[in-house]
Amino acid sequence: DVVEIAIATRCDCLSDEMIAYLNEISYIKPLWIELGLQTSNNKTGELINRCYTFEEFKDTINRLSKCPNIKTCVHVINGLPYETKEMMIETVKYLNSLDIDGIKIHMLSILKNTPLEKLYKIKPFEILTEEQYIDIVTTQLEYLNPKIVIQRLTTDPVKNDLIAPLWTVKKIDILNSIDKKMAKENIYQGDKL
C-alpha cells in the first residue's frame, strides 16, 4: 500500500553504500531524500552545529543525482542568527546550481530547552518580523529555478514549545500573505533568473 517513500536525513549519514541501497529501493517505490542544508554559509552552519560543510552537502547532492529514480528535497531556514537577507537569498541562488528537485523553506523557531534558546538568551540576535519573512521568501522565489518544486513555505512550530517568533503559528495567514504579495507585485518563481 506504500505509494512513495520520503526519508529525511543528514548528508553525513549517506555513505556510498547507503546511497547504493537507497538507489535499489527507488526502483521498487518512488523515493525522495530530504536533506537539511539550512544555509549555504559555513560560519552559520558551525554556529547552529550542522556538523557538515556546504561543500560536503554539495558532494552528497552530486552523488544522489547519479541515481535517476531518487528525488532530492532541500530544507532551508530563514532567520538564522546573524544572517542577512542577502545571505538567505544567496542560499537559494546556490541551490539553482545543484541537481535538486524540491525545496522546503522554514522560518527559524526558537524552542524551549534547546541550545538555540540558550544562545538567544545569552547573546540575543534579531528575529525576523512576519513582514520581513514574507519579503525574503518572495524574493527567494524570484531567484529559484522554476523546475524546483516548492514543498513548504513556512514552519509548523509546536505552540507550547515556541519561544519566538510567535507569529509563526499563523501558518495560513503567512501563506495567504505570500500569495497576496506575489499577486500584487506580479512575482513569479524564477522571475529574476
Side-chain angles (χ1 to χ4, degrees):
D1 295 333
V2 174
V3 176
E4 196 165 17
I5 300 169
I7 299 172
T9 188
R10 300 165 47 95
C11 70
D12 53 349
C13 294
L14 291 173
S15 64
D16 289 340
E17 296 77 20
M18 180 59 68
I19 290 174
Y21 173 68
L22 293 170
N23 188 45
E24 289 176 27
I25 292 173
S26 74
Y27 284 92
I28 300 166
K29 291 288 179 182
L31 178 63
W32 279 85
I33 300 295
E34 297 190 26
L35 294 173
L37 171 61
Q38 320 324 350
T39 177
S40 61
N41 185 286
N42 282 329
K43 279 189 173 181
T44 305
E46 284 180 39
L47 178 67
I48 63 171
N49 199 28
R50 185 177 58 196
C51 297
Y52 47 87
T53 65
F54 181 60
E55 293 71 27
E56 291 168 313
F57 175 85
K58 286 194 301 188
D59 175 66
T60 302
I61 292 293
N62 290 336
R63 289 184 294 125
L64 285 167
S65 70
K66 295 175 184 167
C67 305
N69 289 346
I70 295 178
K71 294 191 179 298
T72 53
C73 179
V74 177
H75 292 239
V76 299
I77 297 177
N78 289 331
L80 288 167
Y82 319 114
E83 286 216 337
T84 64
K85 177 180 178 179
E86 291 72 28
M87 293 165 76
M88 294 174 231
I89 293 165
E90 280 303 308
T91 293
V92 167
K93 287 180 179 179
Y94 281 127
L95 292 180
N96 288 333
S97 68
L98 303 178
D99 189 7
I100 67 167
D101 303 287
I103 187 171
K104 291 186 178 181
I105 300 175
H106 305 267
M107 172 57 198
L108 178 72
S109 294
I110 300 174
L111 303 176
K112 293 177 185 173
N113 304 314
T114 62
L116 190 60
E117 177 194 18
K118 289 177 189 165
L119 174 65
Y120 185 63
K121 286 180 176 177
I122 294 168
K123 193 175 178 187
F125 50 88
E126 181 185 353
I127 300 291
L128 296 179
T129 66
E130 184 175 352
E131 294 75 23
Q132 289 171 314
Y133 181 76
I134 291 163
D135 177 61
I136 290 166
V137 169
T138 55
T139 304
Q140 286 174 317
L141 296 180
E142 289 183 285
Y143 285 103
L144 184 66
N145 185 327
K147 293 180 181 178
I148 297 173
V149 176
I150 301 164
Q151 295 187 4
R152 179 183 294 254
L153 289 176
T154 188
T155 305
D156 287 319
V158 176
K159 190 175 182 179
N160 292 338
D161 294 336
L162 186 64
I163 302 286
L166 298 177
W167 58 261
T168 57
V169 297
K170 305 181 298 178
K171 182 177 180 176
I172 299 300
D173 291 348
I174 297 164
L175 293 173
N176 286 340
S177 294
I178 291 169
D179 286 343
K180 286 176 189 172
K181 180 175 174 66
M182 291 182 75
K184 181 180 178 184
E185 298 181 19
N186 201 29
I187 294 172
Y188 292 90
Q189 184 177 348
D191 273 353
K192 293 189 176 177
L193 294 178

